[in-house]
Structure formats: C-alpha cells, structure tokens
Amino acid sequence: MDTVKNIVIAGLGGQGVLTASDMLAEAAFRAGFDVKKSELHGMSQRGGSVSSDVRYGACVLSPMVPEAQADVLVVLEATQVEINRPRLRPDGVLIGPELIGPEALANRKSLNVALLGAASAVLDIPEEHWLAALHANLAERLHKVNEQAFAQGRAAARARAGGQPH
Amino acid sequence: MTEARQLLSGDEAVALAALHAGVRLGTGYPGTPSTEILETFDRLGGRAQWSPNEKVALEVALGVAFAGARTLVTMKHVGLNVAADPLFTAAYTDLAGGLVVVSADDPGMASSQNEQDNRHYARAAGVPTLEPADSQQAYDYTRLAFAISERWRIPVLLRMTTRVCHSKTVVHPRASETGAEPTFVRDIPARVMIPAYAKPAHERLRAKLAEIAAWNEAEGPFALDAGDAALGIVSTGVSAVHAREAAPQARHLSFGMTYPLPLERIRAFAAGVERLVVIEEGDPVVCEALRAAGLPAEGRPERYRFGELDVARVRRILAGDDTPEPVPPKGKPPELCQGCAHRLVFEALRDLDCIVSGDIGCYTLGVLPPFSAMDTCVCMGASIGVGLGLRHVLPEEQARRVVSVIGDSTFVHSGLTGLAEMVYNPPPTGHLVMILDNGTTAMTGLQEHPGTGRALDHSPTNQVCYEALARALGIADVLVVDMTDKGLSLKDLIAERLARSELSVIITRQPCVLAAPKIRLYDKAAAATCAATPEPGAEPRLAGG
Ligand SMILES: Cc1ncc(C[n+]2csc(CCOP(=O)(O)OP(=O)(O)O)c2C)c(N)n1
Ligand code: SF4
C-alpha cells in the first residue's frame, strides 16, 4: 500500500469540504489512478464538523484513510485543526486556513479551492487534471474566481515549501 | 457497447445499474444513506417517485413487478421495518418483472436512530441478499439482482452500508438492456395470499431458496485470494477491502451473496486453513451461520459489533485485542440553522416546560442546548402515539404539558394514523400535535413529499393539505401559524391549548432556510410552464400556501 497517497480534507459543514474532496478525487481519477473517496454525509444542517478521505494510487483497498496515515491534511477552519491532527502521519503535510490570509481571496467562499491548490503543490497529479476537475465540479460562473483561488493556493504552498515543519 | 469508466458513489452506481437494467419505475422514501439513489436515477433520465413511506413504496413496486416490468425500491435500514409487512409476503408470490429492494444500513449510526443489521431480514423473510463492497460491486450486484429476481420470480435484497453508499470508487459499466414490456398475465394462486394459496407458496419459496443456494455455490460471485494458510479470513461487504488491507499475507474468501450462503465453498476454504476468522460489520450473522454449520469460525470481542469497521479495527480483531480503543476527538455537532423556524418552536416549548414527545428530522436537534426541549424520540411517527400514551396515564398536571411535535414529511410518512388514533381514543386532557411544516424533507437533503405539491423532480403535482386533512379527521381546533409573522406569540397559542381539554393541531409554516431559494426557483419554473401550456381546469397550486 506504500504507493497509495492519503489525503484528508476537514472543516465545518457549508465550507465546501465535500466539493474539494470531489475535485481532488476527480483530478486523481482523470490522471488515471485508482481512487477511493469516502465520507459520511447526509445531514442538511450547517455548522457541524465534516471530513472527507481521498486515497489514490495503483490499487486502493479500504476507502478510509487509516489512522495517522494521511500524507496531506487540509483543514478549512482553524478550530478543526487539532481534532483532525491525529489523522496526519508524523512526516505528513498540514495545510491550514492561515496559509491564505483573510483578505487574500476575491471571495472567501473559494477557500476550499485555494487550499486544494496548496495541496496540489505537494501531490503528483498534473495541473491540467486539476483544472478539468475544478470545471467539472463548479457552475461555469464560478470558474474564474476559483481558478484564481487555486493558483493563489498553489503559489502560497510553493513559497512555503522547503521548510515545512510538519 | 460499454461505457467509459466513471468515478461513482455506491448510490450513483446502483442508479446507473438500474438504468442499464431497464428499470421502469424507481420508488422509495428518503433516508440517509440511500437518498441519492433515486435522485441520481431521475437525473440520469429514469422515472423515479418518492412515496409517502417505505411500505407504500414497496407496494407500488410490487405492482410494477406483477405487471411484468423491472423496479427498484430504495430506503434506509429502518425503512425496511416499515416495509416489512409487504416484504415478508411478497417473498411468497411469483413476480413477473424483477424487483430489487435496496436497504442502506448504517453501522456506526452516522445519521440514524439505531444500527440494526438488515441481513436478519434476509433470513427472516427468505429473500436472497447481495452485499457490495464498493461501487463496482454495487453496479454489478444490482444488475445481478435483477437477473436473480426474474429467474426465480422473487424479490432480491441489496444490502448496502453507509460506507459503500457514500464512497466514490471507479466503475466500469456494461451494456444496457431493455426490460420486458409490461403486460398483465393473471396468476391468482401465485399472487393472492389466502391460506389456501399461501401454503403451497411458502413451500415454493423454500424450494426457490434451495435452488438459489445451489446456484450461489456453483456460480455466485466470490473472490478468493491465495495466501498463507495460517490465517483464513472470510469477509463480506466493505469489510472485505478492510480485511485485505489489514492482512495482505492472509488467505481471503469474500462473497457477494450473503443469503443463502455458499456454505460448501466456505467449508472447502475452511478445510485448507489453520485459523478461520470472519470479518463482518454489525451482528455476527455470517459467523453464527458458519458455526451452526459446524465450521470452527472464530468469534470476535463484543466491542466490534458496535460501529463501523476499518483497517485498524480489523487488525485488532485478528490480534484478539479487546483493550479499549482510542476515542477519536469529538467534532462540533450540527445545530439548527440560523433563521430556522424550528428554533422558535423549541424556544416556546422550553419556556413553557412542556413534556415533548418528539420525532425524527432536523427538529430532533431541539433536544440539544440551548433548547433541551425534547423528551422522547424513537422512530418516525412515534411522537403522536407516544404523546397520547403519556397523556392517558400521567397525573393531570403533567399530562397537560405533553405536546407531540412532528415534521411535515414525517407526518405524511407515519403521523396520519397517529392522528386517527387521537380522534378515536382522545385522552381526558385532550392533546396538542404540532406539525412543523417547512415545505421539504430537510433532514435528508431537501426532498419533496406529498405535502409540498412537487414531485421528486420538483415539478408540480397534487398537494396534500394538512389543515383540511386534520379537520376531515374530526379535529375542530386546527390552527395554521405563519412563522414569519413577527407579531405572533407562539408561546401564548400553545399555552392556551394546553389549558383546554380539547384536541388541537397547530401547523407552523415557514420554508426551510436552505430550501426557500430552491422552492422559489421551482415555483418560477412551474409558473413559466403553466403560462406556456394552459391546462383547462387544472389550477396550479402554490407551495407553502
Ligand atoms: C423509517 C424511516 N425512514 C426514513 C428515515 C430518515 N429520515 C429521518 S427524518 C426524515 C424526515 C425529515 O423530514 P421532516 O419530518 O419534514 O423534518 P425536517 O427535517 O424537514 O425538519 C427522514 C426521511 C427514518 N429515520 N426512518
Ligand atoms: S436545513 Fe432547514 S429545517 Fe434543517 S435546520 Fe436548516 S433551516 Fe432548519
């Protein structure tokens, strides 16, 4: 299973956690990998904790990222970092909301896509698949602002890279 | 002709398979995690309908199957309790078209009131049951289920679980078929279950199951992974992938049909291994069946009956580890949306110190702070019966504080008979039922129901009017409250009714905050079509009015 990449995306209901994990799973799928994406969803009410697991590689078995096996943990909401931290492997990459300053985005609703952009900088999926996945999962009028958010996140992660203290 | 591979959830895969199997009508009642099946089937171009509840959904489907067409019925696990009555006797009948019942179980109770294991129904009702592990199997087994259903003229249960329903995995679809054209062929002894016909029908059912068991031994779906004979693992459903990841060196057998079991195949597998362990979620259904057949299947510590399995838990089972498991950090629980009318209802009930007989829906969150205003919640519809029971026997001072609270979708699902009971056997202090009409089935993701005036695809249809219905049942005091009216005191209205000894119904009305913008769009679309095609005599009905 060493060839399998494990990513967990977490946040609060209404923040776009599931849209982000859909995009990630779709990008990996378009890149030709075996993919499994899993979460428990169903309630309409907003505000509760939400997290979603994505695994991709040559062959994925369980759809759930095993405990402390996430290579990348993306968290959209500061209060959700600690409760999800145990999911990250000791040498894994944590991408938190502070990576993108509160004023940085044209629309803060694109934070999910911006942080996905940051994750894309550390995942081996070609950029064209990310963009195709983004387009496939968002209404057309949202493409531009989200492409921009994605690029901002990707650039921010690249700028930070090299000195990631876990 | 096969289609390109797709990334689908288990629910989407079932819907696609139903489309490819030529299903003429899909029915069901919303319930996490099954809801997306019919929604997807509709989106893909299939014909799908929400029924008022699961029993009716199965009965409609049974009619479709008697007419010779293929049909799919979807529900969550507890829905099968509601549909159990038709299921048990449908199993005795001879179907003409394929009938597949999807039961989506929820081990771990991500969004349910219990974690019942519906494989018990397979055995109890005598219906063959398939259990997919991922979306590919969800697709394949749905197709297979129709073939089995038609070959043996029997309903087939497709037992999904939350993890399979909601995980997306890769699916390779196959060529589609067109089911047979429906036509009525009379077969009275096979379909009219009076004792004279039901006695031979029961014998036929057992003969069918024996044939299906033989088929499962010889041709049923299974996967055998050669591995070290020191450890043999038998697994079903999603547990099969957890088990393979947890113990890649072991020898694995998993199979798709868990009732009737391929016992001889398992016996042969067991003979070749030193240790035989069953990995299954929920109750030890397979494990006990193997032991009853004399196989030395190892049990697991009781703690693994509860909740979902995952790779770590499977490792613990294999190691016989019964030490307490690490408790995952608690997330933030969901709460009622800001602006939700349910908030006002539970504030009033809290302030009046009511004894609240509650029900299931978003409004069940009225049990949590800052409201803490729900005292019972058992199953859909129970609020009315339980409230009446409390009223009948409590001392008067307490009885007068009892209120039944039920959502609009839940009311049509199973509150109607409760209201009939209230009229028929009124408690001495009277009773108050509050129907929280938010114009949608919010809890499960905003589905339509008979009270919204819109069909599954949100197009206009006939609307059940709750106030007319309550009056027609003989309840004189029926009040409709517009919850957007700032001048109104719901508290006073409730207090007045609790002081009387009459039967009262209060219908609180305000669209769900999340549904409201969508409802406006549906109404607009409906108005546009109405204007384009004037239908003499058919008054378009406005929702929420
Ligand atoms: C027998 C059964 N079927 C389905 C469900 C799933 N379910 C829970 S609540 C609910 C309906 C909620 O709708 P409503 O009563 O209108 O309340 P709302 O959520 O809109 O406040 C459903 C379908 C269930 N718990 N039990
Ligand atoms: S989804 Fe609708 S009914 Fe549910 S809490 Fe939010 S506003 Fe209320």
Side-chain angles (χ1 to χ4, degrees), chain B residues 271-359:
Chain B
V273 296
E274 286 158 38
R275 188 180 160 208
L276 183 69
V277 181
V278 179
I279 299 291
E280 60 187 323
E281 252 170 10
D283 296 334
V285 174
V286 172
C287 186
E288 283 174 2
L290 298 194
R291 285 177 171 186
L295 295 177
E298 236 178 69
R300 55 179 187 192
E302 179 67 1
R303 67 174 67 247
Y304 302 103
R305 180 199 294 267
F306 311 109
E308 285 190 286
L309 294 184
D310 57 21
V311 172
R313 296 190 90 198
V314 171
R315 287 207 182 101
R316 291 172 62 103
I317 292 173
L318 294 175
D321 186 348
D322 194 18
T323 58
E325 298 173 80
V327 185
K330 265 223 167 337
K332 188 171 172 291
E335 54 178 42
L336 291 170
C337 301
Q338 294 307 320
C340 175
H342 295 340
R343 285 179 170 269
L344 305 177
V345 172
F346 287 101
E347 279 165 13
L349 293 168
R350 174 196 60 198
D351 294 350
L352 289 166
D353 193 24
C354 289
I355 297 170
V356 179
S357 178
D359 224 302

Side-chain angles (χ1 to χ4, degrees), chain B residues 29-32 54 76 78-79 82 113 342 360-363 380 406-411 413 436 438 440-444 449:
Chain B
Y29 180 73
T32 310
E54 294 86 353
K76 69 183 289 157
V78 285
V82 179
Q113 68 266 38
H342 295 340
I360 308 193
C362 276
Y363 53 95
M380 288 186 73
I406 187 166
D408 52 345
S409 184
T410 303
F411 178 73
H413 178 280
L436 313 190
N438 60 1
T440 187
T441 315
M443 173 83 179
T444 45
H449 61 72

Side-chain angles (χ1 to χ4, degrees), chain B residues 1-3 20-21 139 143 173-177:
Chain B
M1 177 205 75
T2 49
E3 295 186 22
H20 289 175
Y139 179 90
R143 300 287 301 265
R174 289 179 286 118
S176 27
E177 354 163 28

Side-chain angles (χ1 to χ4, degrees), chain B residues 89-351:
Chain B
T89 306
Y92 279 27
T93 66
D94 284 340
L95 306 178
L99 169 57
V100 176
V101 181
V102 180
S103 161
D105 291 12
D106 191 13
M109 295 177 274
S111 183
S112 302
Q113 68 266 38
N114 76 21
E115 55 181 339
Q116 68 184 53
D117 186 332
N118 277 3
R119 294 177 301 170
H120 294 296
Y121 272 116
R123 206 180 128 98
V127 285
T129 296
L130 292 158
E131 277 190 73
D134 58 19
S135 303
Q136 180 69 58
Q137 288 188 358
Y139 179 90
D140 291 339
Y141 292 177
T142 303
R143 300 287 301 265
L144 178 62
F146 280 107
I148 293 169
S149 176
E150 281 179 2
R151 176 161 169 197
W152 282 284
R153 315 185 76 185
I154 191 172
V156 175
L157 195 62
L158 186 74
R159 190 235 184 188
M160 310 269 287
T161 55
T162 308
R163 206 45 83 169
V164 177
C165 288
H166 283 175
S167 293
K168 285 192 176 178
T169 73
V170 178
V171 176
H172 296 268
R174 289 179 286 118
S176 27
E177 354 163 28
T178 34
E181 279 306 311
T183 180
F184 188 71
V185 181
R186 179 163 290 146
D187 189 353
I188 290 171
R191 312 246 171 92
V192 182
M193 289 303 121
I194 54 171
Y197 296 144
K199 283 174 190 166
H202 187 196
E203 287 173 19
R204 272 201 312 279
L205 168 62
R206 295 297 148 186
K208 289 177 185 181
L209 290 171
E211 277 184 43
I212 294 168
W215 169 87
N216 194 18
E217 299 283 7
E219 297 171 52
F222 73 98
L224 179 65
D225 291 10
D228 192 344
L231 175 61
I233 300 180
V234 169
S235 56
T236 64
V238 73
S239 308
V241 283
H242 299 326
R244 281 171 168 79
E245 183 161 341
Q249 78 297 342
R251 191 173 294 180
H252 290 270
L253 173 67
S254 43
F255 38 88
M257 182 175 276
T258 52
Y259 183 82
L261 279 175
L263 269 180
E264 295 316 310
R265 193 186 290 286
I266 302 169
R267 200 184 297 282
F269 177 81
V273 296
E274 286 158 38
R275 188 180 160 208
L276 183 69
V277 181
V278 179
I279 299 291
E280 60 187 323
E281 252 170 10
D283 296 334
V285 174
V286 172
C287 186
E288 283 174 2
L290 298 194
R291 285 177 171 186
L295 295 177
E298 236 178 69
R300 55 179 187 192
E302 179 67 1
R303 67 174 67 247
Y304 302 103
R305 180 199 294 267
F306 311 109
E308 285 190 286
L309 294 184
D310 57 21
V311 172
R313 296 190 90 198
V314 171
R315 287 207 182 101
R316 291 172 62 103
I317 292 173
L318 294 175
D321 186 348
D322 194 18
T323 58
E325 298 173 80
V327 185
K330 265 223 167 337
K332 188 171 172 291
E335 54 178 42
L336 291 170
C337 301
Q338 294 307 320
C340 175
H342 295 340
R343 285 179 170 269
L344 305 177
V345 172
F346 287 101
E347 279 165 13
L349 293 168
R350 174 196 60 198
D351 294 350

